[in-house]
Amino acid sequence: TFKFSSNNDKANSVKKRIGLLTSGGDSSGMNAVVRSIVRVAISRGCEPYAIYEGYEGLVQGGNMIKKFEWSDVRGYLSVGGTLIRTARCQSFREHKGRLQAAHNLIKNGIDALIVCGGDGTLTGADTLRSEWPSLLKELVQTGKLTEEEVAPHTYLTIVGIVCSIDNDMALTDITIGAVTSLHRICEAVDSISSTAFSHSRAFVIEVMGRHCGWLALMAAISSGADYVFIPERPPEAEKWKKEMCDTIEKQREAGKRNTIIIVAEGAIDDNLEPIKADDIRKLLVDAKIDTRVTTLGHIQRGGRPCAYDRNLATLQGVEAVEAVLRATPDTSSPMISVRENKFVCEPLMKAVELTHQVAEAIAEKNFRRAMELRDPEFNEGYEAYLSTTFMKDKATSQGNHSLKIGIIHIGAPAGGMNAATRAAVRVAINHGHKPIAIHNGFAGLLQENVHELSWLDVDDWTSKGGSELGTTKAEADDLELIACQLQKQGINALLFIGGFEAYSSLIKLSKARNKYPAFCIPMVCIPATISNNVPGTEFSLGSDTSLNAIVDSCDVIKQSASASRRRVFVVEVHGGNCGYLAVMAGLAVGATNVYAPEYGLSLKILQEDVNHFVRRYGADKKRTSSGRLILRNESVSNTYTTDVIANIMQTEGQGLYDSRTSILGHIQQGGSPSPMDRIRAKTFAVKCVHFLEKHAHFSDPSEKTKLPEVYTKDPESAAVIGITGAQIVCTPVSKLELETEFDKRKSKKAWWLNVKPLVELLSKWGYSDNEP
Ligand code: ATP
């Protein structure tokens, strides 16, 4: 979750030589950072220099420091690891190594360095910066450099970008590579779950994370694991073994066949004794449960980056170049950080210090402090995990009031619908309510196709795509019959999960409250649509899954186009009148341009792109050029259809290149939901149940009113849940109506609008007239 907020206007445009390196453990998205830095730097008139193998290349110098051109980073977006390589460099930890590094930087005329890595990498860079004046003095005194050589480089600018699969850095909500790593873990756990079910086995899965349980916790949330051990929340040494075995045995007695336990590699008990996967296995075997251990290991480094990491890395690269251009001798070294879904610069060393404090707090058994030092999402996630994983012996309903919560899916299927339903069902049961499945939308309700869901009914729904309840695009229509059925079924709280149709239906029902008391119940909608067009949230469930499905397909298409050397693909993507998918997928796959309704499409735009292709393919005498993509939203123009555009491109190319189309269609719904959608689903659903409880005003039976038991007409009690900034909020539909373009079926707000110029900037050399 992030916003692009380029400060072009504020940054001064001094031509600079900017060195960049990747260091420490590799993580997916490092290449996207390098691509972004190189291309943004060039477009800002600077000269980027790639330093190979992290600090090793800086110390060795020579051909380990190489000026990068625009085309040097071609194809970088989709590749995992780091193509400019990484290393752990002992000599840079010593004065002699850093002296040599300073020498090599000056020799190359570089006095700005963007370092991508973990806390060690950032610390090393800051040390170099603080020693810079004394290192230069020493180099002059020993005759290695002249006064003239060092004079233009009196201070060293350092900017840090955190690349780490652990997501363990303080002062930033997310680090580059962590989400891709989570993708790999989820894929592995999903696969293991099916064999665990087949054989009725338990699996103990060890995931990375020495001092940080982020990967383990998020993997547990997104895979629906039955138990998790993380370093920040160690269980009681005296109790955990029995508690765990009792919990698993209880689940087995209830009929559960498979058990998944996730252990962070640094898991401990509250006496700081390590909890190892094999210890857990032995305990379960003693309890007569067939148990295996799987250590996921380096699979977790990630490989091909997911859409989220590509975009996060790309946008952070932009911010890093801008931070270099803004830097003065007086500003402390910044770290590019994501806070509240926006990019900000945080003091690099403060972030490193706070990061170390987590390990210190754990070592001092100050676990509360360790949790405080993690971002709020971590804590919220932990609570959500507990409330949807462990069945309470005694359900606790609000003031002894129990709700009958109807859950209905409306609209096209979207990743996360089932995960949200599972979480809602389980929290509802734990709170003493009855979760009622309404199958096949409102049509199902009218046919009385409803039934109560149990804890186990939804057990494996986290990883399931589509809609287990069945969903239709039909909005609420015959309100009288709907009201009648709600009353008949005794449903006194409603949870909608779906897209714009769900949102519209919620509005209809809330507006008809005066006429039908059956609608005077709390109602809340979880936006679930790949198009991300529902007001009240920056991200709907399913949009991340879809983005990944598009990126997967586009990578394949781009590979095919590149093999043919001179081919332009026009790829049509979903989204209705909302260009979110086209724009964000365009950024993630390195599309040349994106055609979306928000920006319009004209012959002039097509002509400009034809000119660009003619220029690029025309200049490519050796036929080394890669294939190029244009992403076209399905509704951008009735005239310039996907076929028409491809024909125009081909004809106007006059043989320099050819053009093909690809219409991705329903593939874009994705299969299994992405981890991000599963996590969002769980957090949304838990909060929705709380919302329904909060707005369920139970009437006092002694008052003998004729009103139903639950009755509310409060406008606040009909809302859409969503993410705004880093907050999860419920906004009443009465407010959201003002932010809605009903004719276009989308929100008036679109935080991603300013990303499109960046798509063009990063793929169209010459876009800003810099092409030689
Ligand atoms: P990861 O999170 O994957 O471990 P990291 O950046 O923390 O990434 P490190 O191996 O700790 O990985 O650091 C990378 C490199 O940074 C080291 O090999 C070393 O060259 C340099 N470095 C680390 N700490 C320091 C330090 N205190 N002083 C100078 N250089 C350092």
Side-chain angles (χ1 to χ4, degrees), residues 87 96 540 721:
K96 207 172 136 207
S540 58
I721 195 164

Side-chain angles (χ1 to χ4, degrees), residues 23-25 55 88-89 92-93 98 117-121 123-124 127:
S23 158
Y55 293 121
R88 313 253 181 207
C89 172
F92 191 76
R93 292 179 183 270
R98 292 194 293 276
D119 56 336
T121 302
T123 307
T127 308

Side-chain angles (χ1 to χ4, degrees), residues 21-27 30 53-56 59 86-94 98 116-128 131 162-166 168-169 210 301 349 356:
L21 57 84
T22 54
S23 158
D26 68 303
S27 72
M30 279 180 158
E53 295 186 28
Y55 293 121
E56 193 58 48
V59 174
T86 180
R88 313 253 181 207
C89 172
Q90 185 52 36
S91 58
F92 191 76
R93 292 179 183 270
E94 292 149 19
R98 292 194 293 276
C116 313
D119 56 336
T121 302
L122 269 49
T123 307
D126 198 67
T127 308
L128 183 66
E131 292 176 354
V162 196
C163 297
S164 158
I165 63 165
D166 291 331
D168 56 353
M169 183 66 79
R210 260 165 296 158
R301 284 279 166 210
M349 283 318 288
H356 291 165

Side-chain angles (χ1 to χ4, degrees), residues 25-174:
D26 68 303
S27 72
S28 289
M30 279 180 158
N31 291 321
V33 178
V34 172
R35 172 181 180 269
S36 171
I37 292 170
V38 165
R39 294 194 167 178
V40 174
I42 291 173
S43 69
R44 303 281 278 120
C46 298
E47 292 178 348
Y49 278 72
I51 297 159
Y52 282 84
E53 295 186 28
Y55 293 121
E56 193 58 48
L58 204 54
V59 174
Q60 284 187 26
N63 59 7
M64 298 284 268
I65 303 179
K66 185 177 169 245
K67 182 166 180 248
F68 258 32
E69 306 296 343
W70 189 274
S71 58
D72 284 322
V73 289
R74 184 183 289 158
Y76 265 44
L77 264 178
S78 59
V79 183
T82 162
L83 290 163
I84 62 167
R85 312 195 288 259
T86 180
R88 313 253 181 207
C89 172
Q90 185 52 36
S91 58
F92 191 76
R93 292 179 183 270
E94 292 149 19
H95 175 80
K96 207 172 136 207
R98 292 194 293 276
L99 189 70
Q100 192 57 38
H103 178 261
N104 289 330
L105 283 172
I106 296 285
K107 280 291 182 193
N108 282 286
I110 301 169
D111 56 18
L113 207 51
I114 301 177
V115 297
C116 313
D119 56 336
T121 302
L122 269 49
T123 307
D126 198 67
T127 308
L128 183 66
R129 172 180 152 137
S130 61
E131 292 176 354
W132 186 254
S134 65
L135 293 173
L136 296 198
K137 205 168 156 193
E138 191 178 336
L139 287 166
V140 172
Q141 279 169 354
T142 52
K144 298 247 171 63
L145 292 175
T146 64
E147 293 277 3
E148 292 72 33
E149 280 176 306
V150 301
H153 309 292
T154 49
Y155 71 96
L156 176 70
T157 300
I158 295 290
V159 175
I161 294 186
V162 196
C163 297
S164 158
I165 63 165
D166 291 331
N167 194 24
D168 56 353
M169 183 66 79
L171 297 185
T172 186
D173 294 345
I174 192 81

Side-chain angles (χ1 to χ4, degrees), residues 268-285:
I268 43 171
D269 66 22
D270 64 354
N271 279 337
L272 307 184
E273 283 300 316
I275 297 178
K276 291 289 166 201
D278 208 50
D279 303 336
I280 299 168
R281 182 189 65 82
K282 284 180 190 144
L283 287 170
L284 293 179
V285 168

Side-chain angles (χ1 to χ4, degrees), residues 359-415:
E360 286 158 20
I362 292 172
E364 289 161 8
K365 299 190 184 179
N366 191 348
F367 306 117
R368 181 201 288 247
R369 173 81 183 133
M371 281 301 265
E372 276 168 11
L373 286 163
R374 296 276 174 240
D375 62 84
E377 206 179 77
F378 189 93
N379 287 285
E380 260 179 23
Y382 188 74
E383 296 307 323
Y385 174 75
L386 295 183
S387 60
T388 55
T389 308
F390 303 107
M391 202 188 335
K392 287 189 180 161
D393 288 332
K394 200 165 173 293
T396 46
S397 70
Q398 252 201 344
N400 293 330
H401 287 308
S402 170
L403 290 167
K404 234 179 165 185
I405 303 175
I407 305 176
I408 185 166
H409 293 182
I410 304 175

